[in-house]
Structure formats: C-alpha cells, structure tokens
Amino acid sequence: EPEVTQTPSHQVTQMGQEVILRCVPISNHLYFYWYRQILGQKVEFLVSFYNNEISEKSEIFDDQFSVERPDGSNFTLKIRSTKLEDSAMYFCASQRQGRGTGELFFGEGSRLTVL
Amino acid sequence: DAKTTQPNSMESNEEEPVHLPCNHSTISGTDYIHWYRQLPSQGPEYVIHGLTSNVNNRMASLAIAEDRKSSTLILHRATLRDAAVYYCILRDGGSGNTGKLIFGQGTTLQVKP
C-alpha cells in the first residue's frame, strides 16, 4: 500500500539553527500539507501546497517557515531559525485531489526537539 | 470552518460495538463529514467520510442524521488496536477549497480487554 514517508524521524537542534524536514508524498498525489502537533495538544494545520505554490497557510506559518517541492518527489518544510516553541511532531500529508472529498494520507511524523 | 462537538473520552470493551457521537449543528450544505483517528505515537489515519447517506467500509460505518446536524462513527467490534483519538471533522467540498483538515480535541477511546 502506498504511503507518505518522512525523514528524519527525530531531529534535535539548537535554538536559532535551520531545520529541514523532508517528506515523500504518494506519487500520484497533487495536494500536499504540513501539520504540527505540540506534545499533548491537538494537530494544527500549517500549510497546504498545490501546483508548486502555497494555496493556504495558517497564522503559525510565519516568515520563519517555508515549503518547497524541489524535484517533483520531495516536499520539504524549512524552519529558518528555530525557537524553543517549534518543538513538536511535524506531519506531512498528501491527497490525490483537493476539496472536501477524498482521503488525506499522513506520514508517521518527524519529531523536532529544539534545545 | 464549521465546528464539531465530541465527548472527550469513551470506554469500550474488546469485541463489543462502539458508537462515537459527533454534533455539527452548523454544518453547511457543501460540508463533508470526515473521521480520522490517531493511534499513540502515529500520524492521523483516515477512517471514513460521507455527505448525506450512511457509509460503510472495512474499518467502520458512518451513520449520518437526516438533518446532518449529527453523525455517529460505529466500530462494529472494538479491538485493543482501536484505542486511539477519534476526530470528527467537517471539510468543505466546495470549489476553490484547499481541502485542509481542521482538527479538534477529538474523543479518546479506551478499549478494555
């Protein structure tokens, strides 16, 4: 069964450092998303991406965050200068089509710990 | 985004049916009712979705009220592996929508052996 894969599974970084989280969505999917979940809290939407551009972003997704699909397979989330409060589980998701129909497939997540 | 209301937690015995309720009184005509679950230390996982009619798949059934203001996710025989947080989410099916999911707190289901 096709799946969304994410790397690394866990990354520890120092505050102020840049971090890149990588995702390989399912190959024929067109819509891509990043979510985060701070420990003990709910899953929060960060950004959606379609046709090589951001289609929607939340208030959390400020100038410190960026997304890219550099080579047609990987989908990356970059945090330019990490803060302590960026410590969370980051989930990538993809979907064949947008709108409210269909199924989002989530990866297993990348745990980011900022010291 | 239209809101949903779910109980914080529920308990079930293994191999018994579980009915997880969800209220969504402000649902609009283009909103689909989606259910996802999150097993411990894993990413969310799709369970089922529907618009107006009841739906069945290999994982669960979704019963939607006639006025669409509430729905119930039915797990026919709960197993220990079904212990998870279950999220009831409304997604706008209209054109121009990005298809994002907005998660609430969900219902934490405990399954007792």
Side-chain angles (χ1 to χ4, degrees):
Chain A
E1 186 172 313
E3 59 181 16
V4 175
T5 57
Q6 291 186 241
T7 55
S9 57
H10 188 194
Q11 180 155 356
V12 181
T13 190
Q14 296 292 325
M15 191 168 56
Q17 295 295 305
E18 177 183 282
V19 160
I20 297 176
L21 304 178
R22 290 181 170 79
C23 168
V24 179
I26 295 172
S27 61
N28 63 348
H29 285 190
L30 303 176
Y31 293 81
F32 313 107
Y33 309 85
W34 282 101
Y35 287 79
R36 80 170 185 191
Q37 187 173 32
I38 295 170
L39 187 63
Q41 298 187 24
K42 63 183 181 181
V43 178
E44 299 175 291
F45 168 75
L46 292 179
V47 66
S48 58
F49 191 86
Y50 169 70
N51 201 26
N52 278 323
E53 62 182 23
I54 291 173
S55 46
E56 189 173 358
K57 60 184 180 180
S58 71
E59 290 179 356
I60 302 167
F61 195 88
D62 61 21
D63 291 344
Q64 292 300 311
F65 291 88
S66 62
V67 288
E68 200 175 37
R69 191 161 156 78
D71 57 10
S73 61
N74 290 288
F75 179 50
T76 62
L77 174 69
K78 183 193 292 187
I79 308 175
R80 213 177 319 278
S81 176
T82 50
K83 304 188 284 278
L84 294 176
E85 53 264 39
D86 293 328
S87 294
M89 197 74 165
Y90 289 81
F91 295 107
C92 173
S94 69
Q95 184 172 333
R96 176 75 180 97
Q97 59 183 356
R99 306 188 183 181
T101 59
E103 172 182 351
L104 245 66
F105 290 79
F106 284 83
E108 291 296 309
S110 292
R111 179 171 298 285
L112 176 64
T113 302
V114 182
L115 303 177
Chain B
D1 297 297
K3 292 194 182 303
T4 62
T5 305
Q6 301 178 251
N8 288 333
S9 63
M10 291 185 65
E11 280 187 2
S12 171
N13 293 316
E14 198 176 8
E15 299 191 5
E16 290 186 357
V18 182
H19 290 233
L20 297 163
C22 181
N23 287 315
H24 28 80
S25 58
T26 57
I27 191 170
S28 74
T30 56
D31 284 335
Y32 284 76
I33 302 160
H34 284 249
W35 284 82
Y36 281 73
R37 72 179 185 181
Q38 188 174 22
L39 301 170
S41 302
Q42 294 192 26
E45 174 187 32
Y46 169 82
V47 177
I48 199 166
H49 79 283
L51 183 62
T52 56
S53 304
N54 294 345
V55 185
N56 299 297
N57 66 19
R58 63 177 177 81
M59 289 181 71
S61 296
L62 176 59
I64 301 172
E66 199 169 327
D67 63 4
R68 301 211 322 129
K69 293 186 177 182
S70 66
S71 60
T72 303
L73 179 71
I74 303 164
L75 307 179
H76 295 286
R77 284 183 67 205
T79 68
L80 296 178
R81 197 193 170 277
D82 291 321
V85 181
Y86 286 79
Y87 301 98
C88 170
I89 303 170
L90 300 182
R91 293 181 78 191
D92 185 2
S95 62
N97 174 43
T98 63
K100 71 176 189 279
L101 294 172
I102 299 296
F103 288 83
Q105 297 294 345
T107 297
T108 300
L109 175 66
Q110 288 185 313
V111 180
K112 296 183 289 186

